């Protein structure tokens, strides 16, 4: 059994590919059942965010190609269309990758904190679906601990640099005075809440929160003196919005070109700044073709984000050192599982040999042989049987000059090297 990570992210695939391979919350449970039902897949976790889709699996050898085809096949996309964008990491590389992802080192925004919550949610969902076991359970619990260490022992999270912050920062560059602007926020998740907080702190004039669940929208809007509407009311309020930031889990766009065109007419073509953070996208790409709309996606925000990251670079180096150390710790635990199996097998074989020799000794006693003679037979025979296979292997290692096995035997049995060499 080995660890395998297969996926794609904002570095390897454009948004139009990422959105086609995204796992929405309504299909994730079925996808996990399908994934772990595949031959050779023993455990699985699916992480799907706006910037990445990744499969974390405990698999048998040879499962990588099957996983590549499963990912494209599940979404009904040609394998050849998807495969060039995929990456795979095995064993220690897989551990390092998950630790880097959870610590924010592999994010579009270096050190962003939201990803850890997304990883925790992905693991909890897989656990609830009985898709995880001993290996992934230990890996993810180890990951959460390491990510916390990175946060507390480095400055990787210093300064507010998130996708939401970048969106608001760009809005400030476009509208010098946010106090005269109205922001329409579509969605009510963590990213939208961050955007609302940044807008509020920068003196936004008015906030409207639209969400499928109006109660959730109301709870969020109330924190920032805004008001809530349902998604079906967006068309009525869009003409009021100077800034639109969208981040929902909808599999289909919630804002189309026609709706925006009608809003622009009512605004007498005053421009609208839009940021679509969602994957799959919430705003139809064709909206960006309208002359009075400035539409940005998560990929477009990269240049804005890069300007805010310089203070985190030194912290990232320190974080990488922490991750390197703790990935070694996890691999040591993983190797111990192999040792545990070996010890169990060796103990079982030894007990079988013991029972065999003990049965022979009992028969000798029943036949009237003196107890001292039977005890000598028992000790001598059992010792020979237990040492026969190791002794034969050590003699062969000595003939072959296999220093690795000889040194390991010396360490295991605590023998002097020269004595071991002379005795084999």
């Amino acid at each position: 059994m080995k660890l395998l990570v297969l996926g794609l992210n904002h570095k390897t695939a454009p948004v139009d590919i990422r959105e086609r391979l995204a796992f929405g919350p309504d299909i994730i449970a079925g996808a996990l059942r399908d994934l772990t039902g595949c031959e050779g897949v023993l455990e699985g976790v699916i992480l799907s965010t706006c910037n990445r889709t990744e499969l974390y699996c405990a698999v048998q050898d040879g499962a990588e190609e099957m996983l590549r085809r499963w990912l494209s096949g599940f979404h009904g996309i040609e394998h050849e269309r998807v495969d060039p964008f995929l990456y795979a990491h095995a064993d220690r590389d897989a551990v390092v990758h998950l630790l880097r992802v959870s610590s924010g080192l592999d994010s579009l925004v270096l050190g962003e904190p939201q990803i850890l919550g997304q990883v925790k949610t992905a693991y909890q969902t897989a656990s609830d679906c009985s898709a995880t076991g001993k290996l992934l359970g230990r890996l993810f619990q180890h990951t959460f601990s390491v990510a916390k260490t990175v946060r507390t022992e480095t400055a990787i999270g210093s300064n507010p640099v998130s996708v939401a912050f970048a969106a608001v920062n760009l809005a400030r560059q476009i509208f010098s005075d946010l106090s005269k602007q109205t922001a329409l926020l579509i969605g009510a998740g963590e990213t939208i809440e961050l955007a609302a907080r940044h807008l509020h702190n920068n003196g936004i004039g008015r906030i409207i929160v639209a969400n499928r669940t109006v109660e959730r929208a109301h709870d969020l809007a109330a924190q920032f003196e805004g008001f809530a509407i349902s998604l079906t009311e967006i068309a009525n309020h869009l003409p009021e919005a100077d800034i639109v930031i969208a981040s929902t889990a909808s599999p289909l766009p919630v804002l189309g070109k026609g709706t925006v065109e009608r809003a622009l007419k009512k605004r007498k073509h005053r421009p609208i700044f839009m940021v679509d953070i969602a994957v799959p996208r919430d705003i139809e790409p064709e909206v960006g073709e309208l002359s009075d709309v400035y539409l940005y996606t998560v990929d477009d925000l990269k240049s804005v984000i890069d300007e805010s990251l310089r203070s985190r670079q030194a912290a990232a180096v320190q974080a990488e050192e922490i991750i390197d150390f703790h990935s070694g710790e996890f691999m040591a635990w993983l190797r111990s599982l192999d040792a545990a199996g070996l010890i169990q097998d060796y103990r079982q074989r030894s007990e079988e040999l013991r029972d065999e020799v003990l049965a022979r000794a009992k028969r000798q006693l029943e036949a009237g042989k003196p107890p001292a003679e039977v005890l000598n037979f028992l000790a001598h025979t059992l010792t020979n049987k237990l040492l026969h296979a190791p002794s034969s292997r050590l003699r062969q290692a000595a003939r072959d000059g296999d220093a690795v096995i000889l040194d390991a035997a010396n360490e295991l049995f605590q023998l002097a090297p020269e004595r071991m060499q002379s005795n084999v």
Side-chain angles (χ1 to χ4, degrees):
M1 182 167 61
K2 71 175 185 177
L3 285 168
L4 184 66
V5 177
L6 180 75
L8 46 76
N9 62 18
H10 59 284
K11 298 176 184 177
T12 69
V15 66
D16 63 309
I17 294 293
R18 299 202 307 273
E19 66 184 358
R20 294 186 67 187
L21 292 174
F23 291 87
D26 55 328
I27 65 170
I28 195 77
L32 284 165
R33 287 192 293 271
D34 197 55
L35 174 63
T36 53
C38 294
E39 184 177 358
V41 179
L42 307 176
E43 304 175 37
V45 171
I46 299 175
L47 175 64
S48 186
T49 74
C50 59
N51 286 327
R52 69 182 67 248
T53 291
E54 294 178 335
L55 312 177
Y56 291 85
C57 299
V59 299
Q60 296 172 342
D61 286 338
E64 180 181 329
E65 181 61 26
M66 183 277 299
L67 283 177
R68 288 176 178 271
R69 293 187 177 277
W70 179 86
L71 181 59
S72 55
F74 185 86
H75 291 283
I77 307 173
E78 301 84 356
H79 174 66
E80 294 73 19
R81 179 82 175 98
V82 173
D83 203 57
F85 300 104
L86 297 178
Y87 48 76
H89 304 294
D91 296 328
R92 179 162 185 161
D93 289 341
V95 177
V96 170
H97 181 77
L98 178 57
L99 294 180
R100 295 188 77 254
V101 167
S102 301
S103 300
L105 297 183
D106 195 56
S107 298
L108 173 63
V109 180
L110 179 63
E112 59 96 0
Q114 288 77 33
I115 185 62
L116 179 57
Q118 293 167 331
V119 172
K120 287 182 176 180
T121 298
Y123 171 70
Q124 187 59 55
T125 300
S127 180
D128 292 343
C129 293
S130 301
T132 61
K134 183 176 183 179
L135 186 56
L136 290 187
R138 179 65 176 257
L139 173 60
F140 277 83
Q141 293 304 324
H142 183 72
T143 295
F144 303 150
S145 174
V146 174
K148 182 179 179 180
T149 299
V150 169
R151 289 279 163 190
T152 56
E153 296 187 8
T154 76
I156 194 69
S158 64
N159 301 325
V161 186
S162 64
V163 173
F165 176 81
V168 175
N169 196 43
L170 191 55
R172 288 178 58 202
Q173 296 176 30
I174 294 174
F175 304 102
S176 57
D177 185 5
L178 292 183
S179 67
K180 298 178 181 179
Q181 314 304 322
T182 294
L184 170 61
L185 306 181
I186 304 175
E190 188 174 11
T191 299
I192 289 296
E193 183 174 348
L194 280 172
R197 180 166 287 107
H198 289 311
L199 285 166
H200 183 73
N201 292 341
N202 281 277
I204 189 69
R206 190 160 160 258
I207 290 178
I208 303 170
V209 179
N211 192 52
R212 192 176 308 279
T213 305
V214 180
E215 290 79 7
R216 172 67 183 125
H218 176 76
D219 291 343
L220 179 58
Q223 298 179 45
F224 307 104
E225 301 174 4
F227 73 97
I229 61 173
S230 68
L231 293 184
T232 57
E233 297 177 274
I234 287 177
N236 297 331
H237 292 274
L238 187 58
E240 307 167 36
D242 305 292
I243 299 166
V244 176
I245 300 176
S247 180
T248 77
S250 173
L252 298 172
V254 297
L255 193 55
K257 184 179 179 181
T259 301
V260 178
E261 282 181 315
R262 289 188 290 274
L264 287 171
K265 288 180 182 179
K266 292 183 180 180
R267 289 174 60 83
K268 298 182 180 179
H269 293 278
R270 285 184 294 116
I272 304 177
F273 167 65
M274 295 184 170
V275 180
D276 189 352
I277 299 173
V279 176
R281 283 172 282 192
D282 281 335
I283 302 173
E284 287 183 350
E286 292 78 11
V287 170
E289 300 169 2
L290 299 174
S291 58
D292 298 308
V293 171
Y294 300 92
L295 175 61
Y296 293 79
T297 68
V298 285
D299 291 354
D300 297 323
L301 292 178
K302 189 176 188 308
S303 60
V304 179
I305 291 167
D306 287 343
E307 298 175 6
S308 306
L309 296 180
R310 291 179 179 82
S311 65
R312 296 190 176 191
Q313 297 302 328
V317 174
Q318 185 182 359
E320 295 282 10
E321 293 173 354
I322 293 172
I323 286 171
D324 182 65
F325 172 78
H326 287 287
S327 62
E329 274 193 332
F330 182 82
M331 292 309 295
W333 173 82
L334 190 58
R335 287 191 295 271
S336 75
L337 296 183
D338 294 334
L342 181 62
I343 291 169
Q344 184 178 4
D345 291 344
Y346 184 70
R347 180 178 291 277
Q348 181 179 348
R349 178 57 181 155
S350 298
E351 289 173 350
E352 290 172 354
L353 291 173
R354 176 204 64 197
D355 293 344
E356 175 190 334
V357 176
L358 182 59
R360 291 173 61 186
K362 287 180 177 178
R363 287 196 296 270
Q364 290 182 15
L365 286 173
E366 292 169 356
K369 282 193 176 184
E373 182 180 338
V374 174
L375 286 174
N376 285 334
F377 163 81
L378 176 65
H380 180 75
T381 304
L382 185 57
T383 300
N384 283 344
K385 284 185 173 291
L386 289 174
L387 294 180
H388 174 71
S391 297
S392 297
R393 185 65 187 93
L394 285 173
R395 290 191 187 95
Q396 186 61 48
R399 286 194 292 269
D400 297 341
D402 192 335
V404 173
I405 288 182
L406 294 174
D407 289 344
N410 175 49
E411 183 72 22
L412 180 62
F413 297 112
Q414 298 180 340
L415 301 173
E418 62 276 5
R419 179 177 299 176
M420 186 184 69
Q421 294 281 355
S422 64
N423 287 343
V424 296

